[in-house]
Amino acid sequence: MRDNLTAQGELGEMMVTMDLTKKGFVVSTPETASSSYDKIVDVDGILKKIQVKSIKLSESGMIIVPLINRKNSSVAKNGRGQTHHYVDLVDYIAVWIKNTNEIYYIPTKNLPKNMKIQSFRTKHHTGRSKKPLITKYKLI
């Protein structure tokens, strides 16, 4: 039986492909799991690399987006890669929020290079926080 995190990640990648295709973009997927990105999208003739993250919304309405690859990712586990910061490798991090089915596209130029994670508020946030609001990244 497959690991549930892997299945959730694959589902997130499919959701992002479907979302971008519905918006009229041409989407490509690398043929190898060792790629540093999950999708390539053609935006007005310019190819953009996208890393997809499937994330569960917390009870308080916050999400935590990883900015480095997981140590237990298939790439790291199989010795085909090393820990790397997505900010240096991709143009966008696509976030699929599993329990609300929302998708956001965060340009990596807006993310810190020296952090391992970035927290965001969502429209479901119930507390006080100065973390950035993810809803501004709805469209690519």
Side-chain angles (χ1 to χ4, degrees), residues 12-13 17 30 43 52:
E13 289 180 26
T17 297
V43 179
V52 178

Side-chain angles (χ1 to χ4, degrees), residues 3-68:
D3 142 9
N4 190 42
L5 281 177
T6 300
Q8 290 295 307
E10 291 169 352
L11 184 56
E13 289 180 26
M14 289 182 227
M15 297 298 289
V16 167
T17 297
M18 187 171 63
D19 182 58
L20 291 169
T21 302
K22 281 182 182 178
K23 291 175 178 171
F25 294 103
V26 175
V27 182
S28 301
T29 302
E31 291 190 28
T32 60
S34 60
S35 175
S36 60
Y37 50 88
D38 296 318
K39 301 291 173 189
I40 299 172
V41 63
D42 185 332
V43 179
D44 298 324
I46 299 170
L47 300 180
K48 302 288 186 175
K49 294 183 260 181
I50 298 177
Q51 177 64 38
V52 178
K53 293 295 169 193
S54 301
I55 297 174
K56 184 178 179 187
L57 182 68
S58 74
E59 288 184 23
S60 68
M62 298 287 288
I63 60 167
I64 297 172
V65 178
L67 302 181
I68 60 171

Side-chain angles (χ1 to χ4, degrees), residues 78-93:
N78 294 322
R80 293 179 296 191
Q82 56 188 353
T83 300
H84 55 264
H85 286 264
Y86 296 124
V87 174
D88 296 327
L89 298 173
V90 300
D91 301 297
Y92 290 90
I93 296 179

Side-chain angles (χ1 to χ4, degrees), residues 97-120:
I97 302 177
K98 297 185 273 189
N99 36 348
T100 64
N101 210 28
E102 297 166 272
I103 299 173
Y104 299 96
Y105 301 92
I106 306 166
T108 54
K109 67 182 179 185
N110 294 353
L111 295 170
K113 286 190 173 202
N114 59 345
M115 293 176 61
K116 294 181 179 182
I117 61 167
Q118 175 67 54
S119 299
F120 289 91

